[in-house]
Amino acid sequence: EGGKAAGMSVAVIKGRDTLALKGYGFADLELNTPTPARAGYEIGSVTKQFTAAAILQLRDAGKLSLTDNISKYLPDYPTQGHTITVGQLLDHTSGMKDYTSLPKFGDIASRTLPRDSLIAMFKVLPFDFKPGELQLYTNSAYFLAGLIIEKTSGESYAAYIKKHLFDKAGMPDSRYCSESAIIPRKAHGYDMGAKGLENKAPLSHVYPFSAGSICSTAGDIAAWNRA
């Protein structure tokens, strides 16, 4: 409507049957490239459910407990006298300041700096509330959840989700996003500007990490929902 979308991929599933899997509009407006059915997208915060599933897998494997204090796995993270559990990272009740809401985040978003640079931005800030008292969406907690996945599994986050989630669910077109890799059928991203769509602002995938750095397709997400 009104040029608010460049294109999209749609999967319609009934039971175990795929009734439709089709691309609409354009994957690239500058090249006028139609959207293929298996177009890949940066799925943003849809990533969080994969991170949560990974934590629950590690819980089932006896590697961690949702009631564990995060200091058990991240001893250097300053909890400012609070007790934060692994479960509170997943349900947005940790009280941690969301790094994407910080003005400083815009200054580093396009730069590939060490992950510690991002953690340093929010770890020193006052909590929005005492952990467990309220619920407020925060990417910061899911970033730390990704670090706990790496610490308890002995694998990188990207390797873990491929081996234990994507491969098991039958998701061949899903991966950790990259700004530099050549990825077949990847749709170009757009932002909405004052005069309509414009090329998306650059973003280093050091930062969304386990809160928002998965790339996937409509077909793979359908496979995930079945799994």
Side-chain angles (χ1 to χ4, degrees):
E1 177 217 343
K4 291 182 180 178
M8 65 185 71
S9 298
V10 177
V12 180
I13 311 297
K14 184 176 182 181
R16 301 196 70 81
D17 297 326
T18 300
L19 304 184
L21 179 57
K22 188 177 179 182
Y24 296 87
F26 296 92
D28 189 308
L29 292 176
E30 291 174 316
L31 297 176
N32 226 30
T33 305
T35 303
R38 290 172 65 191
Y41 300 90
E42 298 188 7
I43 66 172
S45 285
V46 177
T47 295
K48 291 183 175 65
Q49 64 187 287
F50 294 89
T51 298
I55 289 283
L56 295 177
Q57 280 184 332
L58 291 163
R59 183 271 314 269
D60 292 347
K63 299 285 184 69
L64 57 80
S65 168
L66 296 186
T67 57
D68 284 341
N69 188 326
I70 67 168
S71 295
K72 180 176 180 180
Y73 309 105
L74 306 173
D76 295 331
Y77 188 83
T79 58
Q80 301 178 31
H82 297 302
T83 296
I84 308 161
T85 67
V86 174
Q88 287 170 335
L89 297 180
L90 303 186
D91 65 12
H92 299 292
T93 60
S94 70
M96 288 179 186
K97 187 73 71 177
D98 180 15
Y99 66 81
T100 61
S101 68
L102 304 177
K104 286 183 180 178
F105 179 63
D107 297 336
I108 70 166
S110 64
R111 300 163 60 196
T112 303
L113 301 173
R115 288 195 301 205
D116 289 352
S117 304
L118 178 66
I119 298 171
M121 284 175 47
F122 65 80
K123 72 179 184 181
V124 296
L125 299 175
F127 280 51
D128 286 322
F129 50 84
K130 183 180 178 182
E133 286 193 346
L134 295 170
Q135 186 178 50
L136 185 64
Y137 191 91
T138 172
N139 288 283
S140 302
Y142 266 82
F143 192 99
L144 296 189
L147 298 182
I148 291 175
I149 289 168
E150 294 187 333
K151 186 78 175 281
T152 56
S153 71
E155 301 175 69
S156 70
Y157 177 80
Y160 185 95
I161 57 176
K162 181 183 187 310
K163 179 179 178 182
H164 300 280
L165 298 178
F166 301 155
D167 288 353
K168 288 188 175 182
M171 301 171 65
D173 294 330
S174 298
R175 55 180 55 81
Y176 192 94
C177 297
S178 169
E179 312 90 76
S180 57
I182 304 298
I183 300 173
R185 301 179 304 280
K186 183 180 179 183
H188 194 90
Y190 297 93
D191 289 330
M192 178 56 66
K195 296 181 179 180
L197 292 175
E198 57 188 29
N199 286 323
K200 76 178 183 73
L203 174 67
S204 168
H205 280 288
V206 168
Y207 306 121
F209 186 43
S210 47
S213 279
I214 287 177
C215 282
S216 191
T217 66
D220 274 15
I221 295 296
W224 170 250
N225 286 336
R226 287 195 190 100

